[in-house]
Amino acid sequence: MKFAVGQRVRTIDLLSSFRDAEGLRCALAGKVTALDAGDVQVTISAPGDWAGKTMTSPDLIEHID
């Protein structure tokens, strides 16, 4: 899959390594903010407790729009 800056993406909740406050798997949604030599940087917008953080090269992301 190819990514572009500004593209909305999310992690796949069932396979996500991210956890919510109760320790359950949760999907993170955000926008691709940078591409660098194959790395994809995503700025997270949801859920709110993760908002503003970034993840780079998440291994399980899918395109939303």
Side-chain angles (χ1 to χ4, degrees):
M1 175 180 286
K2 293 193 178 197
F3 295 97
V5 172
Q7 185 176 49
R8 292 188 321 138
V9 295
R10 72 179 179 103
T11 59
I12 301 169
D13 56 346
L14 294 177
L15 303 175
S16 180
S17 59
F18 300 101
R19 306 290 176 159
D20 64 14
E22 285 136 18
L24 301 173
R25 294 179 190 271
C26 69
L28 299 180
K31 282 192 176 184
V32 176
T33 52
L35 300 170
D36 182 32
D39 285 341
V40 179
Q41 180 176 307
V42 175
T43 298
I44 300 163
S45 57
D49 52 338
W50 288 89
K53 299 185 183 202
T54 60
M55 56 182 174
T56 302
S57 292
D59 48 349
L60 299 166
I61 56 178
E62 63 183 0
H63 181 120
I64 293 178
D65 67 359

